[in-house]
Amino acid sequence: MATASVTQVLEALSTLYSSPDPQAKKRANRWLDAFQKQPEAWTTADYLLKSSDTNTETRLFAAQTFRQKITYDLRDLDEAARLTLRDTLVERLTASSSGPKVVTLQLCLALADLAIQLVSWNTAVQDMVNKFGGSTDTAICLLEFLRVLPEEMAENHRIPLSDTVFKEQNINLVQKNASEVMGLLVMYFQSSGGNTEIQELVFTCLSSWLRTGDVDIRFLAESPLLALTFDALSDPSLFDPAIDLACEIIYETRDVNESRDIIHNIYGRIVPLLPKLKEAKEEEDSDAVRGFCRLLVAAGEIYVPLIAQHPASLSSLLDGIIECTAYNDLEIVPITFKFWYELKNTVKIPRFQSSIPALSPYYDTLVDLIIGHLHYPEESHEWTAEERDDFRDFRHEMGDTLKDCCNILGAERCLQKPLAKIQGLLSQPHPAKWQQLEAPIFSLRSMGSEVPDNEDKVMPQILELLSKLPDHPKIRYAATLVISRYSFWTRLHPQYITYQLNFISAGFQNDEVAAASALALKHLCKDCSGLLVDYISELHPFYTSVIRTLPFSDALEVTEAVAHVLAEVPVANLQNALQQFCLPLAQDLHAIVMKDETSITREDCVRVGDLLEEIAAFIEVIHPDIPLGQPHPCVNFVNDLWPIFDLCLKKFGTEGPVCEQLGKCFKNCVQSYKLHFVPLLPQLMERIVSGFDYSGLSVYLYVALKIIKVYGAGGPENAAVCLNLVERMSATMFTRLTEKKFQDMPDVVNEYFRMVTELLQVAPTHLVQSPLLPSIFQAALAGLSMEEFNALNAILGFYRSLLDIAISVDELVPGDVPATSATIGQNSARVASIFMEMGNSFMTVLFNGLISHYNWEIIPDVASILKCLAQILPTETSEWIVVLVNNIPDLSMPAAEKSEFLQSYMSAIHEKHWAKARRVLSDFIISYRRKNSGRERKE
């Protein structure tokens, strides 16, 4: 053990915990992390642990180092060294039995991880019991070890074990010892003599072993565990671990048919808890209520099939859960929602539907409770934005539970409840507070998806009631959203359209209601578009008057609303209608683009983008079915707008927000009008080519992608036009790549390679046989060093598509037949030749990215790409991978592991087990990254 290492570690720890300099702390943390990966960390950690004058922070670091080394570097030790390590850790744990607890915990974790990997130590549990079980002073060490052992077995996926070895170790360490350990733990509890620290550890340990699923249900039925657990609920110091344990016991009885006797016993112990729950509610002891709620809901969710069969027999459990739902702590109430959802799903099964009448009173009460919880508190005006968002999210959760109630009770019965509440509030002599009215109105909106469009008993009363509501902005907002939610119902009840239009229109006069009005108008126009064509003459002056006064988000909603109605206008009148409604937009746009460049402001740029997005909405929504060859009114309309689009390009061609929306206009033209747009396509392609050349913005590549997607598969002539488009865009792209780094323009790289990949998919032959392909390949090769996820993923997608072309016939070719153009086709041969020429560089860059900086999510995709490469070039791929792996320093990956990987990988390639080749490579990379990078990159 080098003294220098100890000194450096102590200095780094001192800096980490004591230095006031944040940068120094970061440097110290990085150094310590790197040190843990070094071979001398084993002996240094041991020295620091056994030294009598080290502080808690130092001993904790040493214990963590042992765990880190055991997890990632145990392969560095031979069998004898591992056994010595085991004995050392047991000795250090013995010395640490009196604390500190954090050190004891880390040593127990290290021992557990060692036991899992040290196959020869199959008596680990018995040895630890013999070593630490004889004394109260050391029992804490034993209980901590027993607690973490099954947790590490189940949850520590960093331990490098094969599935086979893992299963064997789980049998040896957990399954074979489960009954003995459970009995031992019960004995410990009974003999603890009121030592709450021991009792709490016993409970957490019992929970840990129950979670393994390896405890025989007969043990639960025959042992005193149930009584101990439920009796402990009366002890405040054991309440939380007892609740956890009770929930685990209940979960173990999830096979309700096999566990009926013990379930009967559990239920008998749950019933006496209801008075305690009510007492906790009266005392506003939210912690106790939360615990009881967790227990009751755990039982409810597990025993849903029994409740559905025998609701009367389990009524106390239902009473307890509804009590929890009624509590005024809105962090506790949602715990119950999943139970009501699961119960609803179960009783809707035909064989359980006879229980619905018995359960209906609970769902009746649930509707009333939810409406009560929906109330905004009076102090809500003092909330922060985060608190307001949290409550808004919670209301939507409650809305889902209201839908469950509608499923059980029927829409009419559920709608009657908020209707009656509103009627009662409006009829009382004193005005109701807005919170009292807004909550039942909100509930009406929440139930919308469960209300049939032919409901004709309650809905008419609700709509008539809206006009009687107080003119308060919060109430008006909620009522307007009710109209928005029930627009599907209005489609079958057109007599209410005029009233609803007037109600919505009036809302635009109030800034607090305008957003709801815009959304309601959008939904009403979308669902009732055919019915609203007759209202065009009223909509036009309304639209032109409000469109310039609304915030943009609301103006866009209104524009989309009008567009849905215009989409139903007869074709003969459509062009004129479009021009009328777009006139204010075009006028405003023209006024700005005609300004002198020196007088254009940032607000003008934003306004141009907004106007273009509104025009894009018209183009997206309105696309009538016109026979090919006949004039298309929308294309004529776009043609009229083309000069303004040109002016936008000229004045704002480098402004990202403007070009994004102009690109949306172009994209919508292509997608909405398809072949009808072909006459304007040459103009569009010229503009996106020149726009990209001028600005380098990614939106032009995105539009090119959409052009290729729509027109590329339309025959050789279309494919040639699309290839020409890609060639011209590529010329600009390659120039840009010489001027800027890949990482400085990830959005451009992303869209470029998505565009190229699209052409590969719709017209593969044209691009594969083009002299452009090698240049694209080389550009992609340079981009493989990027770290930006989307851009890198787009480049990998390009290579995947290339390889898919090459391997599409690979499986049809016997292994002993040479891969030539005659046997695999011209496209496949062309792709194979390019990879043959540049595959070594390709694989080197990919491999370096895999072992160093690629996002963990990308590793399986890259492994799949290399698997495909091995399919088309097995010999070359094998040679390249051997060189790359052997170039890894032994310090980073032991020679034995490298050899083991190469043997498995070559075997998979030779046998054409491609899925195995991908898996073996992926496992090797993950192992390397864990060993050399620690956990911080993954996290």
Side-chain angles (χ1 to χ4, degrees), residues 768-769 805-809 824-833 872:
V768 169
Q769 298 302 327
I805 292 170
I807 66 173
S808 58
V809 293
I824 65 175
Q826 288 187 349
N827 285 351
S828 298
R830 167 75 163 158
V831 172
S833 69
I872 65 170

Side-chain angles (χ1 to χ4, degrees), residues 343-402:
L343 183 60
K344 178 264 299 184
N345 285 345
T346 302
V347 298
K348 295 298 285 187
I349 298 172
R351 63 192 176 100
F352 293 130
Q353 286 181 358
S354 59
S355 295
I356 289 180
L359 293 170
S360 292
Y362 291 99
Y363 281 93
D364 251 329
T365 302
L366 190 57
V367 175
D368 294 329
L369 292 175
I370 293 297
I371 293 176
H373 289 319
L374 287 171
H375 282 69
Y376 272 99
E378 290 194 24
E379 68 275 10
S380 60
H381 63 279
E382 300 174 358
W383 280 352
T384 64
E386 182 178 0
E387 289 172 328
R388 194 172 298 278
D389 288 344
D390 288 344
F391 186 69
R392 189 178 294 120
D393 292 342
F394 174 60
R395 294 180 108 206
H396 288 294
E397 277 190 75
M398 291 191 282
D400 291 337
T401 303
L402 282 175

Side-chain angles (χ1 to χ4, degrees), residues 254-396:
R254 59 193 178 277
D255 186 339
V256 294
N257 293 320
E258 183 181 334
S259 310
R260 283 186 180 269
D261 290 341
I262 189 172
I263 290 173
H264 180 74
N265 193 348
I266 290 171
Y267 184 70
R269 297 181 182 279
I270 285 177
V271 173
L273 297 179
L274 266 62
K276 295 182 179 180
L277 169 63
K278 292 180 180 179
E279 181 182 342
K281 288 177 63 177
E282 290 171 0
E283 295 175 355
E284 296 188 355
D285 184 351
S286 291
D287 290 337
V289 175
R290 181 182 287 103
F292 287 127
C293 182
R294 286 181 53 221
L295 191 155
L296 292 165
V297 169
E301 290 177 1
I302 294 298
Y303 305 149
V304 156
L306 297 179
I307 296 172
Q309 293 178 61
H310 312 290
S313 301
L314 293 168
S315 59
S316 292
L317 184 55
L318 288 162
D319 293 340
I321 296 175
I322 202 74
E323 282 282 350
C324 295
T325 308
Y327 191 51
N328 59 10
D329 187 328
L330 299 188
E331 291 184 0
I332 294 175
V333 172
I335 297 174
T336 68
F337 290 167
K338 185 172 182 288
F339 164 74
W340 298 116
Y341 170 76
E342 296 289 352
L343 183 60
K344 178 264 299 184
N345 285 345
T346 302
V347 298
K348 295 298 285 187
I349 298 172
R351 63 192 176 100
F352 293 130
Q353 286 181 358
S354 59
S355 295
I356 289 180
L359 293 170
S360 292
Y362 291 99
Y363 281 93
D364 251 329
T365 302
L366 190 57
V367 175
D368 294 329
L369 292 175
I370 293 297
I371 293 176
H373 289 319
L374 287 171
H375 282 69
Y376 272 99
E378 290 194 24
E379 68 275 10
S380 60
H381 63 279
E382 300 174 358
W383 280 352
T384 64
E386 182 178 0
E387 289 172 328
R388 194 172 298 278
D389 288 344
D390 288 344
F391 186 69
R392 189 178 294 120
D393 292 342
F394 174 60
R395 294 180 108 206
H396 288 294

Side-chain angles (χ1 to χ4, degrees), residues 531-550:
L531 300 171
L532 287 168
V533 171
D534 293 339
Y535 291 81
I536 286 285
S537 58
E538 289 90 346
L539 278 175
H540 179 252
F542 163 77
Y543 180 73
T544 55
S545 66
V546 303
I547 198 65
R548 291 179 173 133
T549 62
L550 293 173

Side-chain angles (χ1 to χ4, degrees), residues 435-618:
Q435 292 94 334
Q436 294 175 293
L437 282 165
E438 192 273 347
I441 295 171
F442 181 92
S443 73
L444 291 171
R445 174 184 162 203
S446 298
M447 299 178 196
S449 63
E450 303 304 318
V451 177
D453 57 8
N454 61 354
E455 204 290 320
D456 58 3
K457 293 182 179 179
V458 186
M459 281 303 301
Q461 298 179 60
I462 290 171
L463 287 174
E464 290 172 9
L465 197 63
L466 296 184
S467 62
K468 302 175 184 177
L469 293 171
D471 191 21
H472 187 286
K474 301 288 187 185
I475 297 173
R476 186 85 182 191
Y477 184 95
T480 303
L481 289 181
V482 169
I483 292 177
S484 174
R485 186 62 189 84
Y486 287 91
S487 56
F488 71 92
W489 181 89
T490 306
R491 184 177 58 242
L492 295 187
H493 302 80
Q495 65 270 30
Y496 293 98
I497 285 181
T498 301
Y499 163 70
Q500 291 186 23
L501 278 175
N502 291 334
F503 192 94
I504 292 169
S505 300
F508 285 105
Q509 309 305 314
N510 189 313
D511 291 343
E512 293 186 54
V513 185
S517 294
L519 184 64
L521 185 63
K522 175 183 173 181
H523 288 155
L524 187 67
C525 289
K526 185 175 182 180
D527 285 339
C528 306
S529 54
L531 300 171
L532 287 168
V533 171
D534 293 339
Y535 291 81
I536 286 285
S537 58
E538 289 90 346
L539 278 175
H540 179 252
F542 163 77
Y543 180 73
T544 55
S545 66
V546 303
I547 198 65
R548 291 179 173 133
T549 62
L550 293 173
F552 170 67
S553 58
D554 298 340
L556 184 61
E557 299 271 24
V558 172
T559 297
E560 291 174 0
V562 170
H564 284 294
V565 178
L566 292 183
E568 299 295 328
V569 170
V571 173
N573 304 327
L574 181 54
Q575 185 173 347
N576 182 56
L578 266 172
Q579 290 169 340
Q580 280 187 328
F581 277 87
C582 279
L583 182 60
L585 305 179
Q587 286 174 337
D588 290 355
L589 196 56
H590 185 267
I592 297 174
V593 297
M594 292 306 293
K595 281 186 177 183
D596 183 82
E597 289 188 14
T598 58
S599 62
I600 292 177
T601 65
R602 173 53 50 187
E603 290 73 19
D604 288 333
C605 292
V606 172
R607 180 61 178 153
V608 168
D610 292 347
L611 291 166
L612 287 169
E613 187 167 1
E614 291 175 71
I615 291 172
F618 280 114

Side-chain angles (χ1 to χ4, degrees), residues 524-742:
L524 187 67
C525 289
K526 185 175 182 180
D527 285 339
C528 306
S529 54
L531 300 171
L532 287 168
V533 171
D534 293 339
Y535 291 81
I536 286 285
S537 58
E538 289 90 346
L539 278 175
H540 179 252
F542 163 77
Y543 180 73
T544 55
S545 66
V546 303
I547 198 65
R548 291 179 173 133
T549 62
L550 293 173
F552 170 67
S553 58
D554 298 340
L556 184 61
E557 299 271 24
V558 172
T559 297
E560 291 174 0
V562 170
H564 284 294
V565 178
L566 292 183
E568 299 295 328
V569 170
V571 173
N573 304 327
L574 181 54
Q575 185 173 347
N576 182 56
L578 266 172
Q579 290 169 340
Q580 280 187 328
F581 277 87
C582 279
L583 182 60
L585 305 179
Q587 286 174 337
D588 290 355
L589 196 56
H590 185 267
I592 297 174
V593 297
M594 292 306 293
K595 281 186 177 183
D596 183 82
E597 289 188 14
T598 58
S599 62
I600 292 177
T601 65
R602 173 53 50 187
E603 290 73 19
D604 288 333
C605 292
V606 172
R607 180 61 178 153
V608 168
D610 292 347
L611 291 166
L612 287 169
E613 187 167 1
E614 291 175 71
I615 291 172
F618 280 114
I619 298 172
E620 180 179 18
V621 173
I622 306 170
H623 43 82
D625 187 13
I626 307 291
L628 200 60
Q630 294 186 14
H632 197 298
C634 298
V635 175
N636 294 337
F637 163 70
V638 171
N639 194 41
D640 292 341
L641 288 175
W642 212 262
I644 297 181
F645 289 163
D646 280 342
L647 285 170
C648 290
L649 276 174
K650 181 179 178 181
K651 288 286 181 71
F652 302 97
T654 58
E655 294 290 338
V658 173
C659 293
E660 286 291 330
Q661 301 311 323
L662 191 58
K664 186 180 289 187
C665 290
F666 293 154
K667 179 263 294 185
N668 289 347
C669 287
V670 169
Q671 291 184 327
S672 292
Y673 311 135
K674 297 183 173 63
L675 293 179
H676 287 283
F677 194 72
V678 168
L680 295 180
L681 201 56
Q683 296 180 56
L684 175 57
M685 289 193 290
E686 284 299 324
R687 280 154 181 78
I688 63 172
V689 169
S690 61
F692 183 53
D693 185 54
Y694 178 56
S695 70
L697 293 173
S698 62
V699 64
Y700 298 106
L701 294 164
Y702 175 71
V703 177
L705 181 154
K706 295 301 179 182
I707 291 173
I708 294 167
K709 190 178 187 70
V710 171
Y711 302 107
E717 185 177 340
N718 284 12
V721 171
C722 290
L723 174 61
N724 179 257
L725 176 61
V726 170
E727 288 172 341
R728 297 178 68 187
M729 301 295 270
S730 296
T732 299
M733 183 68 179
F734 297 156
T735 301
R736 294 270 171 186
L737 291 176
T738 63
E739 299 169 349
K740 297 180 70 174
K741 296 179 180 179
F742 272 83

